[in-house]
Amino acid sequence: MTPLPAHLYDSHLHTPLCGHATGHPREYAQAALDLGLAGLCFTDHVPMPAWYDAPWRMKRAQLGEYVQTVLAVQEEFKGRLSVRLGLEADFHPGTEAYVREVLEAHPWDYVIGSVHYLGAWGFDNPEFVDEYQRRDLTNLYRDYYALVEGAARSGLFDAIGHLDLPKKFGHLDPDGMSALHALDVIAAQGLALDFNTAGWRKPVAEAYPAPDLVRAAATRGIPFVLGSDAHTPGEVGWRFQDALKEIHDVGGEVVTYAGRERQSAG
């Protein structure tokens, strides 16, 4: 495998504490080192209230374990690989105060804000994909991007995760205007976008965001944070060369975060 440019970070990674990933964080770090990455940032799913999709994220009582595990890997790889501590936090109206409590509990490096739910429907969960047959896609994307705008305005996050996630199973946005409006809000709020290569592993076979949205974001001066959304060590750095080409071809900027502060990543 061709080594990646040495300045790159993979800043979207999960751990087994989320309930749907495998491999010790140490294995993810070793995979990053083997690829020639400069570092990585773990961003496991934030604890949420007990009623909120409990099987798919760490419990609040496990938050300390998560932090200590990542810090232990950070120490183990010190001098060889930069290991950072982050979260993928959900934006779901009504839970902002809970998420804020979690974010204030530890000194995070990077926080992704993601929308995984439309009301009670986890639209990216393969178990519930048949619900798309009952939805009007124009209205679905309008409602989804309204939530993305809410996430951007919340002040809780550094970047928006997998911007066009509802396309995961191949249900593409028939309009596109709501996405562009959301990008205007993201730019105005000074947030970055998670360039999420996991989309290339999904039925849609396209990274998040789509190429036209990558161009639109770059035009608005929105930078990108590379992330594989790895749930196994073998997914670390997934197709980062392709991601870099797509971003650089439209004049986009790649950044990372440390201590919630944006840093250039070349």
Side-chain angles (χ1 to χ4, degrees), residues 3-4 30 35 49 55-56 69 77 80 91 116 124 126 141-142 178 180 214 266:
L4 291 165
Q30 187 61 52
L35 284 171
W56 301 104
T69 300
F77 283 80
R80 297 183 293 153
F91 180 77
H116 292 103
D124 69 325
Y141 274 95
R142 180 198 63 205
S178 295
L180 296 179
V214 174

Side-chain angles (χ1 to χ4, degrees), residues 25-246:
R26 180 185 304 108
E27 298 174 71
Y28 289 72
Q30 187 61 52
L33 195 63
D34 293 344
L35 284 171
L37 292 175
L40 47 74
C41 184
F42 288 98
T43 52
D44 216 349
H45 291 286
V46 70
M48 288 290 271
W51 50 264
Y52 189 95
D53 76 355
W56 301 104
R57 61 190 59 250
M58 74 180 100
K59 296 176 174 59
R60 185 71 175 267
Q62 295 175 304
L63 186 64
E65 178 186 351
Y66 169 65
V67 171
Q68 291 306 313
T69 300
V70 173
L71 293 181
V73 173
Q74 184 182 86
E75 184 62 28
E76 182 178 343
F77 283 80
K78 190 173 183 178
R80 297 183 293 153
L81 184 79
S82 174
V83 177
R84 296 174 182 172
L85 176 66
L87 285 172
E88 180 178 10
D90 280 47
F91 180 77
H92 192 79
T95 66
E96 295 93 329
Y98 187 97
V99 170
R100 189 172 289 108
E101 285 178 16
V102 175
L103 297 185
E104 291 173 352
H106 297 278
W108 309 104
D109 285 305
Y110 173 54
V111 179
I112 303 169
S114 296
V115 176
H116 292 103
Y117 276 77
L118 286 168
W121 175 38
F123 61 84
D124 69 325
N125 190 328
E127 294 179 27
F128 310 131
V129 69
D130 62 332
E131 179 63 21
Y132 279 93
Q133 300 170 22
R134 306 181 184 94
R135 302 280 178 138
D136 175 83
L137 285 180
T138 299
N139 291 335
L140 185 158
Y141 274 95
R142 180 198 63 205
D143 294 344
Y144 169 76
Y145 282 116
L147 290 171
V148 169
E149 291 181 22
R153 291 190 176 104
S154 72
L156 294 170
F157 314 119
D158 302 313
I160 296 297
H162 34 56
L163 177 67
D164 47 353
L165 182 60
K167 73 181 183 185
K168 178 176 178 177
F169 305 108
H171 305 87
L172 302 182
D173 186 351
D175 178 47
M177 293 309 296
S178 295
L180 296 179
H181 192 276
L183 286 176
D184 289 339
V185 174
I186 291 165
Q189 295 298 319
L191 272 64
L193 280 180
D194 167 44
F195 191 104
N196 190 309
T197 65
W200 278 316
R201 305 193 297 268
K202 306 304 180 184
V204 70
E206 180 179 82
Y208 314 105
D212 60 327
L213 294 179
V214 174
R215 182 180 296 277
T219 299
R220 289 161 172 78
I222 300 170
F224 301 90
V225 184
L226 292 180
S228 64
D229 210 341
H231 286 69
T232 70
E235 293 170 350
V236 172
W238 183 267
R239 291 187 63 172
F240 271 18
Q241 294 281 18
D242 296 324
L244 279 178
K245 183 179 188 307
E246 199 165 303

